[in-house]
Amino acid sequence: MVVPPNEWTDVNNGGYETIKVPFMRTRHCKTQKDSLYRSDLSKVMEGLNVLGKIPWKINQKVLDTALKCWDDGIVLGDIPSKVDYDVPPQPESLKYRDYNTLGDIEKKHHLKNMDLHSLRCSALLKLNQAKKFRDFEEIFFPYNVDFRGRAYPVPPHLSIVGSDLCRALLVFAHPKPLGKNGLYWLKVHLANLAGADKMSFDGRAQFADENMDNIRAAVNEPFGENNWWTKFDDPFQGLATCHEIVQAIDSGDPENYLCCVPVHMDGSCNGLQHYAALGRDRGGGKAVNLCVADKPQDVYIGVMHEVIRRVEVDADQMFEFDENSTDLTRTQKALLKQIKSARLVNGLIDRGVVKRTVMTSVYGVTYIGAKNQISEKIKEKLEEKGHDIDEIESEIHTACGYLASLTMEVMGQQFKGARQTMNWLTECARLIAAQGQPVSFISPIGVPVVQPYRQRRTFTVVTLLQNIILTNNSDMLPLHRQRQVSAFPPNYVHSLDSSHMLLTAIEMQKRGLHFSAVHDSYWTHPCDIEEMNVVLRESFIDLYNRPLLQELKTMWELRYSSITFPDIPAQGDLDLKEVRSAPYFFQ
């Protein structure tokens, strides 16, 4: 939008001037839609209105760089290759076995080409929208919420919730002077984007100072011989920050330099932070930076070291039987798979291999999901070592399953407090679903949540040109009990992180400060980082000073009076006031 969106005043009024958008993305759940009219949504709407009022503009330098990448076929970040994978030609005569193998290769290349086509379309949509809005002084994004209360911009392609390219293309429309510490936080931000985020804040600022020649090279010759910035996980955001740092320094007066690039403060494995606060788990809280520490704690590194240790132990085992024997017992076959899997992945495990599984473990990642996450990284590493991953696909599949099981087992042992709370939430959801009822609750800021999972029925309409699949969504369909149970803990935690974010947004607006966020990544001007850090900590403490699990249980006992719910897990001795002094709570 080129004008501020209409404020949300009720569930039917807000957002665009002419296009009607729903207040909530309810996934066709009529029960939840009806509940919105009986709920006090004032806090939620206030938070959405704060986010929607923030004016943005297009970062011209990043847009020009991204367009050059696309025009010149430079593969970088979200800009995909324009060249398809070669599909091997079919030989004239084939044996049956060879034909099947060739078909598998062709199929994989075809799927990769389809993925590339999708990525190209996505990149073009983002770039074309950015070009259309590049000359506007202000653009705005109306917000609504999903069925859990999480806030999202309505536009589907270009917004800050998008990829690295989207985030780099958008900057605050109204710049503010960097002030005394703004340049310091820009340097910290650059180090975070460069992956140098495991050190203290001072160490990160020093990292930027030590790489000042690289920073200037990125600004002066982004595609010259020095390709330092292109190796970032988020290269376009890194480039945008490099430009801002150089311009601030070259202005001769950095404190008065008007900066429009937002700086991010991200939660440390935020799902585990919420679990630690719910259960007052000191051990878990310390691992995810809820406590005072001289340097940031890295939960992923701790899990990684334990997984590596166990893999090395398995890989060093010797076979006490003939591995080529045709009459191995079931136990021997399982041990053989375990040892071979350990030997295949031994030496390949690093922080990146376990990170996604650890991060999503508190959001209910399944064994299959964890295996797929790990498989992506292991395949990359095997390819780098020169392995033909198509030839050893079966071995990789087995090894990644072994590694997924190991990672999830280590997580369960290292975060017992979070596991106890998760188990309690799961058991309560199981009792509710067993009654044939969808799991429902009210979030801390008043969002009525009704889980929409039902056994959807599909109908296929066969035509001469194609098959069209129609899906029937109705509250009258049978409940999907398994999904009701497995999805509840992550959905509940998502409602908590959304409550924390919107409460922070409201307080920031009261203080006259710009604020935006992508779930657990909070954004503001560099000069306002210290004040935002105070606000987000106070909002977190205020939220968890409430007995949230007891409130949830009481709510359920009133709604499902025939169910006897288990006792709430015993709480630990974590003092939430420590969060005020925990420097790396958000970093």
Side-chain angles (χ1 to χ4, degrees):
M1 298 181 69
V2 295
V3 294
N6 292 327
E7 291 194 353
W8 287 106
T9 54
D10 58 56
V11 296
N12 294 316
N13 293 292
Y16 288 113
E17 291 283 348
T18 56
I19 302 173
K20 189 173 181 64
V21 295
F23 169 75
M24 177 180 282
R25 309 173 190 191
T26 58
R27 294 196 181 181
H28 312 287
C29 180
K30 186 177 183 302
T31 304
Q32 188 167 25
K33 286 181 182 178
D34 293 342
S35 68
L36 294 174
Y37 293 95
R38 302 189 297 272
S39 302
D40 179 6
L41 299 170
S42 55
K43 277 286 183 189
V44 187
M45 291 180 178
E46 184 180 359
L48 294 183
N49 293 336
V50 169
L51 298 173
K53 287 178 183 176
I54 299 298
W56 301 85
K57 65 180 180 181
I58 299 298
N59 188 324
Q60 307 276 2
K61 294 184 177 67
V62 171
L63 177 58
D64 290 339
T65 302
L67 289 172
K68 177 176 175 58
C69 287
W70 176 260
D71 293 338
D72 295 353
I74 300 171
V75 179
L76 179 65
D78 300 337
I79 307 298
S81 172
K82 291 184 177 182
V83 180
D84 280 348
Y85 288 90
D86 289 332
V87 177
Q90 180 175 313
E92 293 182 3
S93 61
L94 292 168
K95 295 180 180 179
Y96 180 74
R97 181 181 297 274
D98 292 338
Y99 180 79
N100 279 343
T101 304
L102 186 60
D104 288 341
I105 295 173
E106 285 180 333
K107 183 178 180 180
K108 287 178 182 177
H109 285 184
H110 177 63
L111 290 174
K112 288 180 179 178
N113 288 337
M114 290 176 66
D115 288 341
L116 277 175
H117 177 74
S118 177
L119 291 171
R120 292 170 195 146
C121 292
S122 177
L124 282 174
L125 283 167
K126 296 166 187 173
L127 293 173
N128 287 339
Q129 287 200 353
K131 284 194 291 185
K132 288 179 180 179
F133 288 103
R134 73 180 302 165
D135 296 324
F136 285 88
E137 294 184 0
E138 293 183 340
I139 58 176
F140 299 85
F141 297 92
Y143 277 73
N144 62 5
V145 294
D146 69 4
F147 75 97
R148 303 162 299 188
R150 267 192 154 189
Y152 290 88
V154 175
H157 302 299
L158 180 64
S159 76
I160 65 164
V161 175
S163 59
D164 166 54
L165 177 59
C166 291
R167 299 181 186 194
L169 286 170
L170 295 167
V171 293
F172 290 135
H174 300 161
K176 292 182 71 172
L178 282 177
K180 182 179 178 181
N181 296 323
L183 181 58
Y184 172 87
W185 289 112
L186 271 177
K187 292 175 180 178
V188 170
H189 182 51
L190 179 64
N192 288 342
L193 295 169
D197 55 350
K198 313 302 179 296
M199 57 186 79
S200 67
F201 288 133
D202 288 344
R204 297 178 213 185
Q206 184 179 349
F207 169 86
D209 289 333
E210 292 172 352
N211 282 281
M212 195 55 67
D213 289 342
N214 291 325
I215 293 172
R216 288 190 175 277
V219 171
N220 297 328
E221 291 185 272
F223 299 105
E225 291 183 3
N226 188 334
N227 62 349
W228 176 74
W229 70 278
T230 64
K231 299 174 183 177
F232 290 7
D233 289 338
D234 299 307
F236 289 109
Q237 291 179 82
L239 180 63
T241 310
C242 287
H243 275 285
E244 211 71 359
I245 289 173
V246 169
Q247 288 171 191
I249 293 173
D250 290 352
S251 70
D253 185 11
E255 290 191 16
N256 290 311
Y257 172 74
L258 295 175
C259 176
C260 55
V261 170
V263 168
H264 313 168
M265 288 283 115
D266 298 352
S268 304
C269 200
N270 192 238
L272 279 174
Q273 289 181 320
H274 286 283
Y275 271 116
L278 278 171
R280 301 296 194 272
D281 177 13
R282 172 167 291 279
K286 184 177 180 180
V288 291
N289 295 298
L290 295 188
C291 304
V292 178
D294 295 332
K295 60 181 181 179
Q297 304 300 303
D298 191 338
V299 60
Y300 310 111
I301 291 291
V303 174
M304 179 200 74
H305 285 317
E306 179 60 19
V307 170
I308 288 175
R309 186 190 69 78
R310 296 191 185 193
V311 168
E312 287 176 346
V313 169
D314 288 343
D316 289 340
Q317 289 190 68
M318 301 301 293
F319 296 118
E320 296 180 356
F321 49 85
D322 181 4
E323 61 180 288
N324 298 314
S325 174
T326 58
D327 58 349
L328 296 177
T329 66
R330 180 180 296 182
T331 302
Q332 289 172 331
K333 288 179 180 178
L335 182 60
L336 181 63
K337 278 187 177 182
Q338 178 178 315
I339 295 174
K340 285 188 173 181
S341 295
R343 289 176 178 175
L344 179 61
V345 299
N346 192 21
L348 301 179
I349 302 165
D350 60 13
R351 184 178 183 272
V353 170
V354 302
K355 180 178 178 179
R356 286 179 64 194
T357 301
V358 174
M359 187 186 302
T360 55
S361 64
V362 293
Y363 296 123
V365 68
T366 63
Y367 165 76
I368 299 297
K371 183 171 69 174
N372 291 339
Q373 292 168 349
I374 289 171
S375 178
E376 292 178 20
K377 294 292 184 179
I378 293 298
K379 285 181 178 178
E380 288 177 9
K381 293 179 178 298
L382 287 171
E383 281 186 313
E384 289 172 3
K385 286 198 164 191
H387 290 277
D388 186 339
I389 61 173
D390 291 326
E391 281 189 4
I392 57 172
E393 179 72 31
S394 176
E395 290 89 337
I396 294 173
H397 180 81
T398 302
C400 291
Y402 156 78
L403 205 50
S405 297
L406 207 56
T407 304
M408 296 175 79
E409 182 182 328
V410 170
M411 276 295 300
Q413 292 175 354
Q414 292 198 356
F415 293 91
K416 293 180 180 178
R419 179 59 59 187
Q420 287 176 354
T421 303
M422 192 185 305
N423 289 343
W424 182 82
L425 294 171
T426 301
E427 180 58 26
C428 291
R430 183 175 290 109
L431 293 171
I432 295 170
Q435 299 264 327
Q437 297 282 344
V439 181
S440 60
F441 63 97
I442 298 174
S443 81
I445 56 171
V447 178
V449 180
V450 181
Q451 294 196 147
Y453 311 117
R454 293 185 179 271
Q455 297 179 30
R456 294 187 299 175
R457 293 176 181 171
T458 58
F459 305 89
T460 303
V461 180
V462 180
T463 71
L464 292 174
L465 295 177
Q466 60 188 335
N467 293 347
I468 300 173
I469 298 176
L470 304 178
T471 303
N472 177 23
N473 293 293
S474 168
D475 288 359
M476 303 304 293
L477 292 171
L479 209 65
H480 196 308
R481 294 189 181 185
Q482 183 179 355
R483 288 204 67 195
Q484 287 284 341
V485 174
S486 63
F488 172 63
N491 285 341
Y492 181 63
V493 172
H494 282 315
S495 78
L496 297 178
D497 70 38
S498 171
S499 298
H500 178 217
M501 188 273 281
L502 290 174
L503 290 171
T504 303
I506 292 169
E507 181 59 29
M508 288 287 285
Q509 194 270 338
K510 289 178 180 177
R511 299 184 182 212
L513 304 176
H514 273 41
F515 175 84
S516 195
V518 182
H519 307 316
D520 66 337
S521 178
Y522 292 7
W523 302 15
T524 193
H525 283 100
C527 59
D528 296 326
I529 284 293
E530 283 100 338
E531 190 162 2
M532 184 183 76
N533 280 337
V534 171
V535 172
L536 69 87
R537 282 163 172 77
E538 291 299 328
S539 297
F540 188 84
I541 293 169
D542 289 344
L543 176 63
Y544 281 101
N545 275 335
R546 294 169 55 178
L548 294 177
L549 293 182
Q550 185 59 55
E551 289 179 7
L552 183 64
K553 184 182 179 186
T554 302
M555 188 189 316
W556 279 339
E557 287 172 338
L558 291 171
R559 183 174 180 83
Y560 311 106
S561 57
S562 62
I563 300 176
T564 301
F565 291 97
D567 292 336
I568 296 170
Q571 292 197 328
D573 60 352
L574 174 65
D575 184 356
L576 286 177
K577 293 179 182 177
E578 290 188 42
V579 171
R580 289 194 179 99
S581 305
Y584 302 105
F585 171 50
F586 271 58
Q587 54 178 310

